[in-house]
Amino acid sequence: MSVMLKAMDWRKGMVTELGSTERVRNISGKFHSVRPSICLHRARAYTEVYRQTEGQPSVLRRAKALARTLEIMPAIISDDELIVGHPGCKPRSITVKPELHTPWLKMDIDKLDERDQDPYVVSDREKREFKEEIAPYWAGKTLYDKWKANCPEDIAWKVNGTGFGSVSSMLFSLGYHYNPDYAEIFKNGLNGYKEQARNKMAGLNPDNLEDIGKEHFYQAIILICDAIESYARKYATTAREQVQSESNPERKKELEAIAQICDNVPHNAPWFIETIAYIEGTGPVIPLGRFDQYMYPFYKKDIEEGRITREKAQELVECLWIKMNGLIWFHDAMTASSSAGYVPFNNTIVGGVDRYGNDATNELSYLCIDAMMETRTVQPNLSVMLHPKSPEELRLKVADLVALGLGHPSIYNLRTSVLSCMTLGYSLSESMNCYIKGCNEPAATGGMQYGFAAGGWCNLGMATEFVFTRGIKTLKGQKGSGKRIGVDTGDPKSLQTFESFYEAVKKQIEYQIKTAHIAENYVLQAAQGDFALLFESMLTKDCLDRGKDVLDGGARVYVGPGIEFVGIADVADSLAAVKKLVYEEKRVSMEDLCRALEANFEGYEGLRQLLLTHSPKYGNDVDYVDELAVEILDYGANLVWSLRSIYGNKNTPVNAPASANVPFGFPVGALPSGRKALEPLADGCSPAPGMDMCGPTAVIKSVTKLNHANLNGTLFNLWLSGISMSTLEGKRRFVELVRTYQDLGGHHVQVNTIAKETLRDAQKNPLKYPTLMVRVAGYSAYFIDLSKPVQDHIIARVEHNV
Amino acid sequence: MEIDAHAKQQLRGLVSAIQRFSIHDGPGIRTLVFMKGCPLQCLWCGNPETQQFKPQLLYSSNRCIGCASCLKACPNGSIIMAGNGKPKTDRKLCRDCGICTQVCPSGARTMVGMYMSVEELLCEVKKDAPFYRSSDGGVTVGGGEPAMQSQTVSELLRRCQLELNINTAIETCGFADYQALETTVRFADLIFYDIKHMEPSRHRVLTGVSNQVILENIRRLALEGNRKIVIRTPIIPGYNDSEDSIRKLGEFAAGLGKAIARVELLPYHNYGAIKYIQLGRRYRLGKVKIPAPEHLSRLKDIIVATGIAAQIG
């Protein structure tokens, strides 16, 4: 039985109440007592509408299906709640998207509540309904089915489930990471967009070929705007009903206020935005973006006019954090283990600069951090954007939050973020106003772009292994075992020089990237036409102007689909070991190395030790190996930049692999770095676990040799021990460590400070640690929600550093 | 004693380790250079591998995979296979030649102690320069006893302080010819000066030498008055932690004048015990307990009462 299930059991009985007020503690307690579940309302509505509308224009069918979903979706207002709305029929539920999820869910639904990573509650009735009434209708109509039918067969089988070039997550979702222009929605609400759609529709010219069919798009937009308004009204009605039955006069007032607000949003002002986005899309990620910036004018006005106190405002933000914590990204088992912990990566970033280049930190920035210190929720991903003008006060506040050991916040460097945005094609001024999309990817604020961050993967560990196996997956009992997935780079024993070996590694990387890239473009092609994301398109710049959906070329900027690099340290350490021990010192023969790797080092422990201890490892500030890491990442990233998506944009290299270093290590055999088969790869651009022997400054020196801004995000886990974050002296040293990391060109850093004893005990006694949070990679998760291999990986890293 | 430029270029030091991100040996983020060789043999020494002024063999049985490569390689026949399937080194026969460490695949056998030129030392020290700048950190030379290699240390610190604008600190036990000591600390911005006990006879029992030279040297350094000195005293329960001897320490420190910035009481720890085993030695303080926080804070109060600042750790 998995740790997760045990973890689930305690949640039934045990209540964890966190928050600065009794209200927040009550909401928090309730949140932690509920297990995540699935909701079939959307699947039911889409199936019903699609059955009835065969032959109608696709965008209208999508609009009607969304409208029907909102019509049948209940309004949930729980006791004590101030922030309402949820994208499912019950708290902590996530809607099933049949046009995307069916291919895997029809096989997995029976065991969904017992799977290792991210299980969900599903009733027998729901299982039956999905299998008998929903899934059969979608056979052959899903995104996956369309992709499968189009993508060349010799590519399709390789990139789904073998650990090579994987595009699996892209097959079951439709783009993610979008940040609506909140400031714009504040001005006009959804009515502004609706009005624009009406005007555009009236101006269509039937003589213009370009305009043919666009009226359907605009009709669809108007239709969903109306449906969303009705959905909000349902909340107003529910609130008023509750007023009738409520006896507490204070709560009555609150409910009346909720009713009034729901009368007004989102057609006149934002909110419900995230709820609708989650119902329409496939996760997805709706980062709150620069929350402390667009909310500050309202906060300031309310404070000045005496409508709110700082304490009351913080309570509201705490309610929002818990609300965000209830959003879930629904994944198949493989993707769930790559993005472990139900998290949807809703990044919320504070700090940064204003449009004049001045520091933008304000009272709300600190309030957001204070709220997180109270609620200790895994979501939103709370991030801080630092730059040379960031106040010391903010840096020390970051240290306070880090000291809690939650893994929050992610700390970003404005300089690398701006450079990264400009590489995507944004202007300097757009780039200065950047936020972080999900894990680590910088983007310009305000509904500017559509795209994936990590549509496909480049498994650098596997690319290295394939030089020795001539492209054949040798691990037994897995998908693709015994088959040639990579390219045949010839007999490794015939590689006479290190340069020829190095070339072979690059060839494997090139083949993997190009294969994944082709597969990605076939997914984008499959998504066109039948899967319009109307709500997302409405909030994405230029879609309304062009009368086109985001999937159909409406967005101003396209990013990705992205190639995600995993295993940077593994390939660098392997290259260094081969270079030094095989080619330079000739202490190890290529024959012996091949045999040892094939045997997974069984019977070759001496050789493995030699590889581990007698060649330099990435993470120790040794140029010999660090330069190989720089070269190989530059090579891969530049290759990705040279490829074009079907929208014409450059594909985007990323290194923000979340917890995917664990599942992507599973299909990889033994490596010359000394890593054994099946073991996790190194996370992000961090050193391999236990291989950094010279302390955090040396790790930082190694990591910052990489060209961070040449990728759309990099991920660095810094494991700190020995610093006492409770003293001012310790905090200052931490602040300087981070400052120097950024000075040297590091993009993202997250810090883990938890003691290994705590983690060990939590693994054994999950009941004792319901809210123990760790930084997994790019985000935080409750430790006990992680599968055992991920937990083990984290413990191994901590142990090394104590 | 001054030496010429050519001699300075030839200077080499015997170093046991260079530890980056040291945060307990001076302000900010520092690199700590451990010099090898010490005139004292403190019972509690936490870095026993720095005591002898020569490279030495360390053996870690946890890392050993029992491959027996070392047996064949040893030119002195000092290694035999023990009953537990792991090799055992006869330290009387071993000449610390290091040949076994070159064949050991797992790093179980390593040599501690490397001769490095000032240039090579600077190269290591400079690696963390970006961290020193923002944290007011720098380099600290400890050991071992830096004054045993005064010319090398002096040149290293001179170049750090005058050429590289890197903050410098020294950790010394004070047991040295005054001129050597003065040369060692000449380019140090901060001196950590150990006083382990105030009674000469007791000091001899605990460290192997009398404290007369040590106390005399600190008086002279303090009189010169141009350097900031921090007195450090390890607190070893049952050995040097009586209230009386700590009071005497405080009175002595207070009497040295304003050159003494403070007294630091360093609580005993046994992190070094494993290294005795790796050196083939016996650790004699196995039964000593970590001092209790209340005891430490009482001792600190005693020092403060004598009129000088004090801190724990």
Side-chain angles (χ1 to χ4, degrees):
Chain A
M1 177 179 283
S2 74
V3 173
M4 184 59 212
L5 279 178
K6 280 184 235 144
M8 286 296 196
D9 295 338
W10 64 257
R11 286 214 163 136
K12 283 186 207 159
M14 193 159 163
V15 179
T16 305
E17 297 169 342
L18 293 164
S20 67
T21 66
E22 195 185 336
R23 174 202 312 280
V24 181
R25 287 192 289 275
N26 286 342
I27 299 174
S28 159
K30 224 167 279 163
F31 174 85
H32 286 290
S33 66
V34 174
R35 292 175 59 185
S37 59
I38 64 163
C39 157
L40 286 182
H41 281 56
R42 182 190 184 278
R44 202 175 292 137
Y46 272 61
T47 311
E48 175 195 318
V49 169
Y50 266 67
R51 280 187 204 278
Q52 291 163 357
T53 57
E54 300 271 355
Q56 293 185 17
S58 167
V59 280
L60 286 173
R61 295 177 83 192
R62 292 282 293 180
K64 286 173 186 171
L66 178 60
R68 177 67 184 145
T69 309
L70 295 174
E71 196 183 331
I72 63 171
M73 194 66 82
I76 307 171
I77 302 177
S78 307
D79 296 347
D80 295 310
E81 272 195 331
L82 292 177
I83 305 226
V84 300
H86 181 71
C89 58
K90 45 196 181 283
R92 279 201 103 178
S93 65
I94 178 68
T95 52
V96 168
K97 279 86 182 176
E99 75 277 29
L100 300 164
H101 299 145
T102 301
W104 65 266
L105 190 58
K106 69 180 179 207
M107 294 182 287
D108 290 3
I109 194 161
D110 284 333
K111 291 190 171 164
L112 200 59
D113 47 3
E114 342 175 333
R115 71 182 192 187
D116 242 20
Q117 190 65 64
D118 298 4
Y120 292 87
V121 177
V122 195
S123 71
D124 287 342
R125 229 196 69 219
E126 285 170 321
K127 287 178 190 170
R128 202 172 46 246
E129 183 185 353
F130 182 77
K131 283 192 290 188
E132 290 169 14
E133 290 163 37
I134 295 169
Y137 176 78
W138 295 97
K141 299 186 180 74
T142 66
L143 177 67
Y144 174 78
D145 293 320
K146 295 198 180 240
W147 172 78
K148 197 77 198 296
N150 283 325
C151 185
E153 209 169 324
D154 62 325
I155 287 178
W157 74 268
K158 289 181 178 177
V159 295
N160 185 20
T162 64
F164 169 93
S166 176
V167 299
S168 309
S169 71
M170 207 177 162
L171 295 171
F172 310 116
S173 51
L174 286 170
Y176 32 89
H177 295 347
Y178 75 100
N179 172 242
D181 191 343
Y182 283 110
E184 175 67 26
I185 308 173
F186 269 118
K187 263 186 248 154
N188 301 314
L190 294 195
N191 277 348
Y193 294 101
K194 192 165 126 185
E195 199 50 40
Q196 199 187 343
R198 254 203 212 106
N199 292 339
K200 291 295 291 187
M201 188 159 66
L204 288 176
N205 177 1
D207 285 344
N208 187 348
L209 276 179
E210 284 254 306
D211 282 358
I212 302 273
K214 286 187 180 173
E215 72 272 20
H216 300 310
F217 175 75
Y218 293 121
Q219 281 164 4
I221 294 290
I222 293 162
L223 206 154
I224 64 162
C225 283
D226 292 339
I228 293 165
E229 189 170 337
S230 309
Y231 174 73
R233 291 260 193 274
K234 186 159 34 178
Y235 269 88
T237 308
T238 305
R240 292 205 169 89
E241 281 164 13
Q242 290 193 7
V243 172
Q244 298 307 314
S245 54
E246 179 62 54
S247 53
N248 181 344
E250 278 300 303
R251 183 62 182 160
K252 263 182 195 290
K253 262 194 242 161
E254 287 167 10
L255 286 164
E256 273 160 11
I258 289 171
Q260 270 178 25
I261 292 166
C262 293
D263 279 341
N264 197 40
V265 296
H267 42 292
N268 289 323
W271 311 140
F272 284 119
I273 298 294
E274 295 74 27
T275 308
I276 310 298
Y278 268 72
I279 292 174
E280 178 188 54
T282 54
V285 181
I286 296 271
L288 290 183
R290 301 191 67 186
F291 183 81
D292 64 337
Q293 300 305 305
Y294 58 78
M295 291 304 285
Y296 184 67
F298 301 95
Y299 172 76
K300 188 163 168 260
K301 191 156 183 278
D302 281 358
I303 289 277
E304 281 169 3
E305 294 174 5
R307 265 194 299 272
I308 202 169
T309 61
R310 191 194 193 276
E311 290 69 33
K312 196 69 198 163
Q314 185 174 325
E315 183 182 53
L316 271 174
V317 172
E318 287 176 32
C319 288
L320 179 62
W321 281 184
I322 296 175
K323 188 52 85 178
M324 301 288 292
N325 210 24
L327 298 175
I328 292 171
W329 192 351
F330 190 46
H331 287 306
D332 60 291
M334 167 73 183
T335 314
S337 57
S338 298
S339 304
Y342 302 106
V343 289
F345 310 102
N346 285 309
N347 211 306
T348 300
I349 195 155
V350 301
V353 291
D354 64 17
R355 60 170 303 193
Y356 308 104
N358 293 317
D359 175 58
T361 311
N362 59 42
E363 181 62 19
L364 209 45
S365 321
Y366 294 100
L367 190 148
C368 287
I369 296 175
D370 284 333
M372 181 53 80
M373 291 173 83
E374 291 291 345
T375 60
R376 304 189 176 202
T377 45
V378 293
Q379 288 287 308
N381 272 24
L382 189 63
S383 301
V384 178
M385 184 68 84
L386 296 180
H387 53 91
K389 294 182 197 170
S390 295
E392 295 306 299
E393 195 186 352
L394 178 65
R395 293 174 190 272
L396 287 168
K397 189 81 189 172
V398 166
D400 286 338
L401 182 52
V402 165
L404 291 184
L406 308 175
H408 288 304
S410 278
I411 304 165
Y412 292 94
N413 184 352
L414 181 67
R415 180 160 57 96
T416 52
S417 304
V418 167
L419 282 172
S420 185
C421 283
M422 292 183 73
T423 319
L424 292 175
Y426 289 108
S427 72
L428 177 58
S429 61
E430 284 167 339
S431 302
M432 294 291 275
N433 187 22
C434 62
Y435 73 110
I436 299 295
K437 283 191 298 183
C439 256
N440 311 66
E441 309 86 346
T445 297
M448 303 287 271
Q449 65 184 43
Y450 172 80
F452 287 78
W457 293 74
C458 179
N459 184 335
L460 293 167
M462 188 173 270
T464 310
E465 181 200 0
F466 279 176
V467 173
F468 294 91
T469 65
R470 306 182 69 165
I472 294 167
K473 182 167 175 178
T474 52
L475 284 179
K476 304 235 165 13
Q478 297 190 6
K479 194 174 173 196
S481 290
K483 292 187 185 158
R484 176 161 284 139
I485 299 176
V487 65
D488 182 4
T489 38
D491 183 349
K493 295 186 275 292
S494 70
L495 301 169
Q496 297 299 319
T497 61
F498 173 68
E499 286 65 36
S500 57
F501 176 84
Y502 199 10
E503 275 311 306
V505 172
K506 285 182 180 171
K507 260 186 212 147
Q508 294 291 353
I509 292 172
E510 179 189 15
Y511 179 73
Q512 192 175 163
I513 289 174
K514 287 188 171 166
T515 308
H517 173 78
I518 294 167
E520 286 180 329
N521 267 342
Y522 276 103
V523 185
L524 295 179
Q525 188 208 34
Q528 291 191 315
D530 294 340
F531 302 93
L533 293 166
L534 296 164
F535 187 68
E536 178 168 349
S537 298
M538 180 170 80
L539 300 179
T540 302
K541 288 208 164 64
D542 294 358
C543 285
L544 282 180
D545 261 350
R546 295 179 192 172
K548 278 182 179 175
D549 167 54
V550 283
L551 293 165
D552 208 21
R556 183 178 297 179
V557 174
Y558 282 87
V559 174
I563 297 286
E564 185 85 64
F565 290 93
V566 58
I568 294 170
D570 302 275
V571 65
D573 290 350
S574 294
L575 283 168
V578 170
K579 184 180 183 191
K580 182 162 184 277
L581 295 170
V582 177
Y583 289 103
E584 286 175 4
E585 297 179 359
K586 301 188 170 30
R587 277 181 89 166
V588 176
S589 71
M590 189 57 98
E591 286 82 355
D592 284 350
L593 181 58
C594 289
R595 272 196 290 269
L597 295 179
E598 199 183 335
N600 192 22
F601 294 117
E602 266 171 56
Y604 293 89
E605 187 55 24
L607 175 55
R608 177 167 173 263
Q609 289 298 331
L610 207 59
L611 296 167
L612 281 171
T613 54
H614 290 260
S615 82
K617 302 291 180 217
Y618 171 73
N620 297 289
D621 195 10
V622 178
D623 285 342
Y624 187 93
V625 53
D626 293 348
E627 286 174 359
L628 289 167
V630 174
E631 283 174 24
I632 213 78
L633 189 60
D634 276 352
Y635 171 77
N638 290 338
L639 181 63
V640 175
W641 284 122
S642 76
L643 303 169
R644 294 283 180 280
S645 90
I646 64 164
Y647 302 114
N649 65 296
K650 292 189 274 188
N651 205 343
T652 316
V654 196
N655 169 241
S659 58
N661 61 305
V662 178
F664 277 94
F666 187 69
V668 179
L671 294 177
S673 60
R675 173 198 157 279
K676 287 185 174 176
L678 312 175
E679 284 181 1
L681 301 172
D683 59 63
C685 59
S686 317
M691 289 299 136
D692 46 321
M693 319 295 275
C694 303
T697 55
V699 176
I700 287 173
K701 286 285 296 296
S702 284
V703 167
T704 53
K705 286 173 197 171
L706 303 174
N707 291 311
H708 290 245
N710 195 31
L711 289 91
N712 190 222
T714 49
L715 181 151
F716 171 44
N717 278 304
L718 179 64
W719 295 79
L720 268 191
S721 55
I723 283 193
S724 164
M725 295 288 279
S726 55
T727 65
L728 183 60
E729 212 185 1
K731 280 183 213 163
R732 279 190 187 138
R733 285 195 172 106
F734 167 79
V735 164
E736 297 317 327
L737 214 49
V738 171
R739 198 194 314 265
T740 309
Y741 172 71
Q742 297 197 338
D743 284 350
L744 294 176
H747 171 61
H748 154 273
V749 58
Q750 63 196 24
V751 184
N752 245 321
T753 55
I754 297 168
K756 63 170 176 179
E757 291 79 13
T758 314
L759 297 177
R760 279 249 185 75
D761 197 42
Q763 200 173 30
K764 277 190 217 120
N765 308 300
L767 307 183
K768 277 168 65 188
Y769 299 93
T771 54
L772 173 62
M773 209 190 293
V774 289
R775 204 79 204 174
V776 178
Y779 66 99
S780 293
Y782 294 113
F783 184 73
I784 57 167
D785 281 353
L786 301 170
S787 66
K788 191 159 179 304
V790 178
Q791 288 184 344
D792 287 342
H793 176 74
I794 288 173
I795 291 173
R797 294 228 51 161
V798 174
E799 271 181 340
H800 169 68
N801 283 282
V802 171
Chain B
M1 187 183 69
E2 286 303 323
I3 58 172
D4 62 27
H6 177 73
K8 277 180 183 170
Q9 274 182 10
Q10 303 301 312
L11 284 171
R12 292 169 81 75
L14 182 62
V15 175
S16 72
I18 296 174
Q19 181 186 300
R20 295 163 71 172
F21 195 64
S22 294
I23 51 176
H24 302 293
D25 304 277
I29 294 167
R30 307 187 76 81
T31 294
L32 184 47
V33 179
F34 292 86
M35 306 306 292
K36 195 156 156 43
C38 186
L40 271 58
Q41 299 263 322
C42 304
L43 293 174
W44 54 82
C45 180
N47 297 316
E49 78 285 7
T50 65
Q51 289 180 358
Q52 291 197 29
F53 188 62
K54 63 166 193 180
Q56 280 174 285
L57 174 70
L58 287 180
Y59 168 67
S60 158
S61 87
N62 283 348
R63 288 178 169 275
C64 179
I65 58 168
C67 68
S69 306
C70 49
L71 255 74
K72 286 167 242 160
C74 178
N76 305 310
S78 72
I79 308 173
I80 54 160
M81 213 58 182
N84 63 359
K86 290 188 178 179
K88 197 170 157 37
T89 309
D90 185 338
R91 293 280 176 169
K92 290 198 188 76
L93 295 175
C94 173
R95 292 178 191 171
D96 291 316
C97 68
I99 289 173
C100 60
T101 64
Q102 290 162 18
V103 298
C104 175
S106 65
R109 291 173 173 272
T110 51
M111 290 302 284
V112 59
M114 52 202 157
Y115 289 98
M116 296 176 77
S117 67
V118 171
E119 209 56 55
E120 286 167 332
L121 284 166
L122 281 172
C123 180
E124 288 302 308
V125 167
K126 278 193 282 192
K127 282 184 174 170
D128 273 352
F131 297 93
Y132 310 151
R133 267 194 282 286
S134 65
S135 71
D136 296 326
V139 62
T140 299
V141 179
E145 174 48 54
M148 278 180 74
Q149 305 184 56
S150 58
Q151 294 293 354
T152 308
V153 172
S154 184
E155 176 62 4
L156 172 66
L157 294 191
R158 183 185 72 80
R159 293 190 59 188
C160 284
Q161 192 187 57
L162 301 183
E163 291 178 9
L164 302 172
N165 195 19
I166 290 175
N167 179 281
T168 55
I170 275 281
E171 291 173 340
T172 178
C173 72
F175 190 82
D177 168 72
Y178 184 74
Q179 189 150 26
L181 183 64
E182 205 280 327
T183 305
T184 309
V185 303
R186 190 172 300 157
F187 300 100
D189 295 315
L190 177 62
I191 302 168
F192 292 100
Y193 199 106
D194 277 15
I195 296 179
K196 325 222 188 218
H197 206 288
M198 288 303 293
E199 293 297 327
S201 56
R202 190 68 187 139
H203 194 277
R204 187 184 293 278
V205 172
L206 299 179
T207 72
V209 302
S210 164
N211 65 1
Q212 278 169 325
V213 174
I214 296 171
L215 299 182
E216 182 49 32
N217 280 347
I218 194 171
R219 272 192 207 101
R220 287 179 70 177
L221 279 180
L223 260 183
E224 288 184 19
N226 54 353
R227 290 182 194 85
K228 190 171 150 191
I229 302 172
V230 172
I231 292 177
R232 279 182 157 181
T233 300
I235 299 299
I236 319 295
Y239 289 81
N240 69 348
D241 65 332
S242 76
E243 297 192 0
D244 184 47
S245 66
I246 294 298
R247 186 173 302 109
K248 282 190 180 135
L249 171 76
E251 285 161 2
F252 175 75
L256 291 174
K258 62 181 184 346
I260 309 301
R262 63 176 177 275
V263 174
E264 287 184 6
L265 302 178
L266 308 181
Y268 165 76
H269 63 76
N270 58 5
Y271 304 154
I274 184 79
K275 291 193 269 188
Y276 284 84
I277 297 162
Q278 292 179 353
L279 285 164
R281 289 175 55 184
R282 203 169 60 85
Y283 184 54
R284 286 178 286 178
L285 293 201
K287 293 201 176 105
V288 174
K289 294 269 185 302
I290 312 289
E294 313 81 63
H295 180 52
L296 286 166
S297 84
R298 198 164 52 244
L299 296 182
K300 181 188 141 187
D301 292 344
I302 289 171
I303 302 255
V304 172
T306 64
I308 188 147
Q311 73 177 48
I312 299 165

